[in-house]
Amino acid sequence: MGKEDPIRYVCGSCGFSTVTRTGKCPSCGQWGTFEAMQPAPVLSETRRPGPRVEVVSAVSVTPPKRLLSGISELDRVLGGGLVPGGAALIGGQPGIGKSTLLLQAGGLVASGGTPVLYVSGEESSAQVALRASRLGVASEKLLLYCGGDLEDALSNLSDRKIGFFILDSVQAVKAPSEAGWPGTPNQVRAVAQLAVDAARSAGVPAVLVGHITKDGRLAGPMLLEHMVDTVLTFSGEGYSSYRMLRAVKNRYGNTDELGVFEMKETGLVAVEDKSGLYWNRTDGATSAPGVAMTVALEGATPLIAEVQTLASLTAFPYPKRTSRGIELNRFQLLTAVLEKRAGIACGGYDLYLNIAGGLSIQDPSADLATCVSLASALRDAPLRGDCCYLGEVGLAGEVRPVSRLAVRLREAARLGLKRAVVSGRERDGKDEGIEVKRADSLIEALKLGGI
Ligand code: TYD
Ligand code: MG
């Protein structure tokens, strides 16, 4: 680089850099995020520090001793608890329950004897204390800092021998070193950096709360996710009291785990038996016409789901098709396959499809259960209540294999299902404690279902 390197302007949100200051970032579309960056001084050859290399086998790899939050689902999603010196970021829509979850976790850790600092830039200490007492987690070792100055808040870490701190939220507090209002990209980045550095130097775990925008992105700079060790998302459907916790990035564990909570009067309660959520358990051998079971995968977690279809004679020239839980286009495509390949006429019926419990399935493995449920509704013939259907259905009416069949079969067996209908091309599934029937085509699968 030449001596007269120009000043560059860097977007605080996405890192795009340019030589002219502009109002709107041409890369990420955010406004007012550019800041001037002085070119870094070039070190002379002689002063350049030599690269420090280490022998990989000589590096100490004792796993860090983790701090358990006391909430089993949270600890599992974190990969086995909180890591001292590590920072996790939990993102979610306003009102989903982030503050509730972390106050519960903080309270439980504090009641175990470890001092916990809860920094809230959003609520007053009276509000947080009231919530803590309602959740039954108010304890002597749970310390609150309600205010907007993060540096001031973090100065309590060493004085009070804090063993875990929570920052609620990165958008609501201010880093004094940086100009701008709380919540602007530069501020959010500075706040997160301050919190991450404080956690690392104090050797305590930190959890930061981040709000997300309407399109599901964490509000603030995109760099935010790179600054922390773990990124969790907390989500839920508007009408349901269930909440899902997932890791989208985890330097200390895998990202396959799913944690499920139910929001109750007394706070968030872990749901251990997840499949029960989406399955109206019927003990009888048969169920109502139009009901078929399947096992969907949510990340790595198998969930039993009940596909329900209702067919009613239509009074309209264009029959109605509605679908909740499976994409409408997919449902319409499967209706056409059923009509063409299995000869079951759908034309004169309004068709309504629903996945019980509000589960939304993207996985094509639910195709077969959808088709069988449709056929059962149209023929008004009930299916066996203890049988599940696992397969993708192609346009030729063929039944195709699904991913991780063994995991799904084990889950079905665990919840008391007796039989599974799968693709004839499936290799495994022999010894999973459930009778497995194979079908190459939709017609064969319908025959096995007694339709
Ligand atoms: P909150 O944790 O404040 O959400 P976030 O921090 O993600 O914005 O939770 C908000 C909602 O949770 C609120 O609308 C009320 C509900 N809630 C309960 O149903 N039970 C409870 O015990 C608590 C504390 C909250
Ligand atoms: Mg909150």
Side-chain angles (χ1 to χ4, degrees), residues 199-280:
R200 195 158 297 154
S201 62
V204 300
V207 181
L208 323 180
V209 173
H211 291 296
I212 61 171
T213 55
K214 283 215 183 72
D215 53 359
R217 257 188 357 94
L218 273 157
M222 287 175 196
L223 293 170
L224 194 54
E225 293 171 31
H226 301 291
M227 291 162 68
V228 293
D229 301 304
T230 305
V231 179
L232 308 179
T233 62
F234 202 38
S235 59
E237 302 288 344
Y239 49 83
S240 158
S241 61
Y242 292 110
R243 304 281 183 265
M244 313 276 177
L245 185 69
R246 288 192 185 83
V248 287
K249 159 183 170 176
N250 196 353
R251 288 186 186 146
Y252 299 117
N254 67 36
T255 51
D256 290 339
E257 297 288 353
L258 166 77
V260 181
F261 296 90
E262 187 176 0
M263 180 61 99
K264 293 199 171 157
E265 286 296 299
T266 49
L268 289 155
V269 180
V271 177
E272 308 278 341
D273 190 356
K274 293 164 189 68
S275 277
L277 293 179
Y278 303 109
W279 177 22
N280 304 334

Side-chain angles (χ1 to χ4, degrees), residues 71-92:
I71 300 178
S72 57
E73 295 285 283
L74 174 63
D75 287 332
R76 200 161 49 76
V77 174
L78 284 168
L82 297 150
V83 178
L89 177 72
I90 176 165

Side-chain angles (χ1 to χ4, degrees), residues 55-72:
V55 177
V56 74
S57 56
V59 176
S60 155
V61 288
T62 38
K65 192 170 178 330
R66 298 190 182 228
L67 177 69
L68 293 182
S69 72
I71 300 178
S72 57

Side-chain angles (χ1 to χ4, degrees), residues 77-202:
V77 174
L78 284 168
L82 297 150
V83 178
L89 177 72
I90 176 165
Q93 306 251 340
I96 204 77
K98 303 179 292 298
S99 306
T100 307
L101 179 69
L102 295 180
L103 194 57
Q104 279 181 259
L108 285 171
V109 171
S111 65
T114 305
V116 174
L117 177 65
Y118 185 95
V119 180
S120 177
E122 303 192 346
E123 291 161 293
S124 69
S125 42
Q127 281 172 316
V128 181
L130 181 68
R131 181 183 296 195
S133 78
R134 212 154 61 75
L135 294 170
V137 294
S139 93
E140 269 180 17
K141 303 253 172 177
L142 180 60
L143 307 172
L144 300 180
Y145 177 96
C146 295
D149 184 341
L150 184 60
E151 224 164 68
D152 191 23
L154 294 177
S155 64
N156 291 299
L157 283 187
S158 54
D159 301 354
R160 307 264 182 173
K161 301 198 167 49
I162 299 296
F164 171 35
F165 83 86
I166 296 161
L167 171 59
D168 186 5
S169 63
V170 288
Q171 280 91 6
V173 297
K174 193 166 157 31
S177 58
E178 190 76 27
W181 290 94
T184 54
N186 291 347
Q187 265 295 335
V188 171
R189 194 187 45 190
V191 162
Q193 193 64 57
L194 207 56
V196 169
D197 290 347
R200 195 158 297 154
S201 62

